[in-house]
Amino acid sequence: MDYKIAVIEGDGIGPEITASAIAVINAVASKYNHNFTYDYVPAGGNSIDRYGVPLTEDALQRCKASDSVLLAAVGGPKWDALPGHLRPERALLGVRKELGLFANIRPAKLNPVLKSACPLKEEVASRGFDMIIVRELTGGMYYGERGRRTGEGGEEAYDTECYSVAEVERITRVACDIAMKRSKHLISVDKANVLESSRLWRETVHRVATTEYPEIAVSDMLVDNAAMQLIRNPAQFDVVVTSNMFGDILSDEASQITGSIGLLPSASLGANTCGMYEPIHGSAPDIAGKDFANPIATILSVAMMFRLSFGLEKEAAEIEAAVDAVLQKGYRTRDILDNGTEPLGCKAMTERVIEQLN
Ligand code: NAD
């Protein structure tokens, strides 16, 4: 089969981890006789440097013309002082919005061999956990009305959380479809004791689940409690559905308890098969150019792309098994180092994964 992938290398460690992902894709391609072509699309800080904007119309059209988008990470201190609409992260919001990618799927699983990298108490870590956070991605406060104004006390700033029934319905269906393939237990996270938008969220999640997915048991959890439960007893979570901002925060927390932010992939999906796949971490400017980055999150993002956009389940499972095997053999990058182990760089770790694939 032929597949065209738009590749956003981005900034910081972006080019290093992208090279890892492409090397893995090429290894799978030659084993299974697939043909992948890559369109390297500028976005983020490097696009600002070249074109003055984080995402050009041409870049956006090239993403739209691809079968899927692979994104490393954008941003860095060089562009931090720019006004909001010109910041590198604007590129992500642009691609998500224009491709209609309303659902962000973030698995967070504690691999038993990385138990010692988990910052939780031994008794909690040894129970392990394996959850998927389904985050609404194109609504809520990150896209709501915002601004500054003068109030009675002087200058004020405001951001607005707004969700329509239709937005909540479609993200609930994505979460329920995932829950149906797992434990059939869905936890919806909101702040319904305070926010009206959360009360509408809660009503809608329950209505969709009850009428369309009667086999699924839905429970609710307030976001402050969810933040606490994630470190107290993460094993209780299986599939979680939540809003854009709550999902942003909780999924970073979930990632950290897996051992490292460098391990976790994500998929952003819309109504059709073209999705955007990216590690959940940022551009890690502190380690850029040093060959220190952990490539696993990006490699596992490729596995998600194969499964969810291309329907290549066998190839996806093989990539995941290769990563597991490498970790099982004790290979570690610096961010997940055990005492006394020699760290591997990004390139060497990628080579170990590719050896497992062959
Ligand atoms: P970050 O995720 O880039 O880094 C946080 C910490 O985790 C750093 O110590 C970093 O070295 C480490 N880390 C991250 N990825 C790693 C990997 N693969 N291997 C080993 N260690 C890794 O978050 P930050 O420092 O808050 O942000 C840096 C820049 O990235 C900012 O400009 C931010 O806006 C941007 N950012 C981009 C995205 C994205 O492109 N999707 C997401 C988050 C942050």
Side-chain angles (χ1 to χ4, degrees), residues 13 73-76 89 92 261-262 278 281-287 293-294 335:
I13 59 170
V74 297
E89 296 78 10
L92 305 181
I261 198 166
E278 54 181 307
H281 57 75
S283 60
D286 52 333
I287 56 167
N294 187 342
D335 54 313

Side-chain angles (χ1 to χ4, degrees), residues 248-270:
D248 189 7
I249 298 165
L250 293 179
S251 58
D252 268 21
E253 185 185 351
S255 77
Q256 189 49 46
I257 57 173
T258 65
S260 168
I261 198 166
L263 294 167
L264 295 191
S266 80
S268 300
L269 304 173

Side-chain angles (χ1 to χ4, degrees), residues 130-205:
D130 177 1
M131 72 185 87
I132 295 187
I133 298 183
V134 180
R135 166 187 169 196
E136 200 291 326
L137 202 58
T138 51
M141 200 171 307
Y142 294 0
Y143 289 91
E145 196 189 327
R146 75 194 55 176
R148 301 226 178 168
R149 63 189 170 204
T150 306
E152 283 177 10
E155 189 182 14
E156 298 175 348
Y158 61 95
D159 299 275
T160 320
E161 176 86 349
C162 178
Y163 270 112
S164 69
V165 167
E167 284 176 315
V168 185
E169 283 176 346
R170 65 183 184 179
I171 194 70
T172 304
R173 289 190 185 107
V174 171
C176 286
D177 286 340
I178 294 172
M180 284 300 287
K181 294 186 191 136
R182 293 171 59 102
S183 69
K184 298 185 181 161
H185 182 217
L186 177 67
I187 295 182
S188 172
V189 173
D190 62 35
K191 188 69 184 166
N193 54 342
V194 179
L195 302 177
E196 195 55 38
S197 54
S198 278
R199 288 192 272 273
L200 181 76
W201 177 281
R202 191 177 280 207
E203 276 163 42
T204 308
V205 169

Side-chain angles (χ1 to χ4, degrees), residues 23-34 36 306 315 319 357:
V24 168
I25 298 176
N26 288 340
V28 174
S30 61
K31 183 168 178 185
Y32 286 94
N33 248 339
H34 298 306
F36 292 94
F306 280 16
E315 291 83 338
I319 294 172
L357 287 167

Side-chain angles (χ1 to χ4, degrees), residues 213-231:
Y213 301 85
E215 289 172 59
I216 294 182
V218 184
S219 49
D220 304 296
M221 198 178 276
L222 295 174
V223 63
D224 38 354
N225 185 27
M228 186 180 79
Q229 296 296 337
L230 267 176
I231 51 173

